[in-house]
Amino acid sequence: SLFLPNQGNTVLNFRIALGPAGVRAMTIPVDIDNSIAGWVFRNNKSLIIDDVQHDQRFFVTVQDRTGYKTENMISIPLRVKNSCVGVIQLLNKINGQKFTESDLGILELLGAQAGMAYEVAGQFKTVQDENSILRSRMQYGGEYHTFLAHSSVMLDLVSTLDDVAHTNISVLILG
């Protein structure tokens, strides 16, 4: 699963939830202050938990509402520039096995790649949004056009250019 915080950093929301109960889990907000994922988010540290049912941080609401019993888990922070921006969590290793330090190392490597992708995606979205705003301003006469179009200096220059454009004379405009 992938969890991302809400704007106030009070709740973690599922953004990806795979597995037998994933679809049902997607609508359940996870309390940041009373959950394993929240602990990972707040402390920016990874965890391996062999017996989730006896961990006081376990947020049982997800299990109760989905019917999927969690035995063990591995959770890592999703980081951008060493700051935690989300949590990646894997549940119930296959065949009742426990998660290992090797599993943790592999997941942290994948998490580092995911963090970089998350950062680039955020930057791309920012550029797209700014581009959209500028295009809209240009198309619908935002403040840049209005300011320039009504400037007496610019109106004089446009008038001069209009007069000169219809001649074969070379003109040097200074100023």
Side-chain angles (χ1 to χ4, degrees), residues 34 38 52 100-101 112 124-125 133 136 146 158 175:
N34 297 299
V52 171
T100 65
E101 289 296 321
F124 182 74
K125 181 168 179 5
I133 290 167
S136 177
T146 304
V158 169

Side-chain angles (χ1 to χ4, degrees), residues 146-159:
T146 304
F147 176 76
L148 291 176
H150 296 294
S151 162
S152 61
V153 173
M154 288 305 291
L155 289 172
D156 288 344
L157 179 59
V158 169
S159 176

Side-chain angles (χ1 to χ4, degrees), residues 98-116:
K98 296 180 189 277
F99 288 103
T100 65
E101 289 296 321
S102 178
D103 295 328
L104 179 62
I106 291 167
L107 188 57
E108 286 182 335
L109 284 172
L110 293 172
Q113 296 298 313
M116 286 187 270

Side-chain angles (χ1 to χ4, degrees):
S1 298
L2 171 66
F3 299 92
L4 296 177
N6 66 347
Q7 288 214 314
N9 284 349
T10 58
V11 170
L12 290 170
N13 295 304
F14 283 92
R15 290 296 179 218
I16 300 172
L18 304 176
V23 172
R24 290 186 305 271
M26 290 293 292
T27 61
I28 304 169
V30 175
D31 187 344
I32 263 185
D33 294 321
N34 297 299
S35 64
I36 294 168
W39 187 93
V40 169
F41 182 81
R42 291 269 193 235
N43 292 281
N44 198 9
K45 293 183 180 176
S46 300
L47 282 176
I48 295 174
I49 302 175
D50 293 330
D51 186 4
V52 171
Q53 298 296 320
H54 291 99
D55 191 295
Q56 65 184 11
R57 298 166 291 192
F58 181 53
F59 188 69
V60 73
T61 303
V62 176
Q63 179 174 281
D64 290 346
R65 289 182 50 193
T66 64
Y68 184 75
K69 187 173 181 187
T70 304
E71 302 292 338
N72 58 38
M73 74 169 55
I74 187 169
S75 299
I76 67 162
L78 176 66
R79 294 183 182 111
V80 171
K81 296 179 181 164
N82 293 321
S83 293
C84 185
V85 297
V87 175
I88 298 172
Q89 192 171 77
L90 303 178
L91 307 178
N92 298 344
K93 190 168 178 179
I94 195 164
N95 296 327
Q97 297 178 52
K98 296 180 189 277
F99 288 103
T100 65
E101 289 296 321
S102 178
D103 295 328
L104 179 62
I106 291 167
L107 188 57
E108 286 182 335
L109 284 172
L110 293 172
Q113 296 298 313
M116 286 187 270
Y118 182 83
E119 180 181 21
V120 169
Q123 292 169 345
F124 182 74
K125 181 168 179 5
T126 298
V127 168
Q128 277 187 318
D129 291 348
E130 290 173 357
N131 190 6
S132 177
I133 290 167
L134 288 173
R135 284 179 186 271
S136 177
R137 286 180 178 165
M138 297 296 288
Q139 184 176 3
Y140 299 111
E143 65 267 13
Y144 301 115
H145 281 261
T146 304
F147 176 76
L148 291 176
H150 296 294
S151 162
S152 61
V153 173
M154 288 305 291
L155 289 172
D156 288 344
L157 179 59
V158 169
S159 176
T160 302
L161 290 173
D162 192 40
D163 292 342
V164 174
H166 301 292
T167 68
N168 289 332
I169 301 171
S170 297
V171 176
L172 174 63
I173 300 175
L174 302 172

